Amino acid sequence: MLTDSYGRIATDLRVSLTDRCNLRCSYCMPPEGLDWLPKPEVLTGDEVARLVRIGVEALGIREVRFTGGEPLLRRDLVAIIAAAAALSPRPEISLTTNGIGLDRRAAALRDAGLDRINVSLDTLRPEVFRKLTHRDRLDDVLSGLAAAAAAGLTPVKVNAVLMRDLNEDEAPALLRYCLDHGYELRFIEQMPLDAQHGWKRAEMITAEEIFGALAREFALSDDSERERGAAPAETFLVNGGPARVGVIASVTRPFCGACDRVRLTADGQIRNCLFARSESDLRSLLRSGATDEEVAARWRAAVAAKLPGHGINDPSFLQPDRPMSAIGG
Ligand code: SAM
């Protein structure tokens, strides 16, 4: 098992399949994009499949989420998902995506074994979408969402980040849209993970502000039926339920004590936290002919060294060198 010295067990593996993205969300990267990883440094589909197999068969991983960058940019995504779905015990398989191109691929992804999906959608206004992502693709995201629901990748979850003076007033509209379409919305507090290092605590929209905005239109009540466990989102029933809304308050209500996640970057590095300052290199082990047990041993050591918390609220906090797009959100 992947245990750390604080008694936490990592069972949820987040795999970044690429650091590239076809959007330029300003809380993540600059409009001109970034220096992408050179292709030879990115894990091949077979290498990803091997690491996922080691995680599941030898290290107790029970859930695998593919992310990025934008995972739909990987042409071999269906094969990677199929390989994960063939494992025993079969892990839960999910995908976090911006939804662009999902309308053409949702059914194939489901057939390969994808169980669940999260689609990022921060605004319903085309001009705000353009401003926030530097691309004109709102309609593509909305059709991707509809395709995910039609393919039965339910409950379709929607991730939204609110930014001051940009989309901060859209919380109720986003919730209305998700309720109307049967999607489950979760707001994510903006974290200091942008490549530009522009995040300022005083400027971020807090969970409290989001609750305040929603409370003007909706009644939110305790979701006592759903055990939170290690889930990052705190969920609430909307207007008595059964519809729900979630808030991931990583900054103002950290949940590190219950964290069960471990991350694999697109270039084969294990990170024991989004905010880790160091990584463990599994790619060079793989490529030097290491055995599964040698790979598993380095992975175990990486998780064992996990710190008690992300430290965002400590005066000594240092933002990680890699931005969210390179770590895998
Ligand atoms: N491209 C995919 C997408 O858009 O969902 C997957 C990768 S993206 C990095 C994963 C999630 O991280 C998205 O929901 C995005 O909104 C969120 N995210 C990115 N940067 C963030 C930040 N600085 N703070 C909070 N959430 C962030």
Side-chain angles (χ1 to χ4, degrees):
M1 282 201 296
L2 292 167
T3 50
D4 67 36
S5 55
Y6 298 90
R8 294 167 297 190
I9 302 172
T11 55
D12 178 347
L13 172 62
R14 309 273 162 127
V15 182
S16 172
L17 291 176
T18 175
D19 60 329
R20 292 168 191 253
C21 194
N22 41 9
L23 296 181
R24 298 286 181 268
C25 303
S26 50
Y27 48 73
C28 193
M29 65 172 83
E32 65 277 15
L34 297 166
D35 288 333
W36 311 122
L37 288 167
K39 193 147 185 250
E41 290 183 17
V42 175
L43 295 182
T44 64
D46 286 347
E47 288 171 328
V48 171
R50 180 174 173 205
L51 289 176
V52 170
R53 178 178 57 70
I54 294 171
V56 169
E57 290 181 350
L59 297 169
I61 292 297
R62 294 288 166 263
E63 178 168 357
V64 181
R65 174 172 292 276
F66 294 105
T67 178
E70 176 44 51
L72 289 178
L73 295 180
R74 283 283 296 234
R75 289 209 198 102
D76 52 359
L77 181 59
V78 163
I80 290 171
I81 288 177
L87 293 172
S88 176
R90 187 199 187 284
E92 278 275 298
I93 304 171
S94 53
L95 182 75
T96 301
T97 170
N98 62 28
I100 296 172
L102 190 57
D103 52 351
R104 294 186 303 279
R105 299 181 75 186
L109 292 168
R110 178 210 54 213
D111 292 347
L114 183 66
D115 297 307
R116 290 182 288 109
I117 201 155
N118 285 50
V119 177
S120 302
L121 172 70
D122 303 319
T123 176
L124 292 162
R125 292 181 284 181
E127 71 284 5
V128 177
F129 191 94
R130 267 195 303 275
K131 219 167 156 185
L132 206 154
T133 67
H134 298 94
R135 298 289 185 272
D136 195 6
R137 308 296 298 266
L138 176 59
D139 287 344
D140 296 292
V141 178
L142 299 182
S143 33
L145 268 166
L153 293 166
T154 50
V156 173
K157 291 188 181 162
V158 171
N159 292 352
V161 177
L162 296 180
M163 297 192 61
R164 206 161 300 285
D165 300 329
L166 201 50
N167 61 342
E168 67 178 302
D169 56 341
E170 283 198 64
L174 283 165
L175 182 51
R176 229 177 293 122
Y177 183 85
C178 288
L179 294 177
D180 287 349
H181 290 80
Y183 309 147
E184 189 171 318
L185 175 64
R186 54 230 7 254
F187 293 97
I188 310 177
E189 280 183 343
Q190 190 194 351
M191 295 177 279
L193 286 169
D194 56 314
Q196 313 88 304
H197 288 230
W199 180 89
K200 292 194 184 69
R201 198 180 202 296
E203 281 176 20
M204 60 165 278
I205 308 287
T206 63
E208 274 320 302
E209 287 177 83
I210 296 167
F211 293 134
L214 293 179
R216 286 193 276 280
E217 267 189 52
F218 304 93
L220 302 189
S221 55
D222 266 2
D223 186 8
S224 42
E225 261 171 48
R226 197 184 268 187
E227 183 76 39
R228 181 168 179 194
E234 201 177 336
T235 56
F236 300 86
L237 296 176
V238 181
N239 298 335
R244 292 177 161 91
V245 64
V247 178
I248 302 180
S250 321
V251 179
T252 62
R253 301 180 184 198
F255 37 86
C256 304
C259 179
D260 66 352
R261 286 169 285 289
V262 59
R263 290 164 199 277
L264 174 66
T265 65
D267 56 348
Q269 311 298 305
I270 288 289
R271 297 179 65 91
N272 59 24
C273 172
L274 259 183
F275 296 93
R277 305 277 313 156
S278 63
E279 301 179 339
S280 297
D281 184 6
L282 296 191
R283 187 192 63 207
S284 61
L285 267 190
L286 287 186
R287 293 185 182 176
S288 64
T291 62
D292 286 0
E293 187 39 52
E294 286 164 334
V295 173
R298 185 169 293 180
W299 193 334
R300 273 192 212 99
V303 172
K306 182 164 169 157
L307 295 175
H310 59 40
I312 297 178
N313 298 305
D314 299 345
S316 59
F317 173 74
L318 282 178
Q319 183 169 337
D321 298 327
R322 294 221 216 201
M324 182 71 129
S325 57
I327 297 170

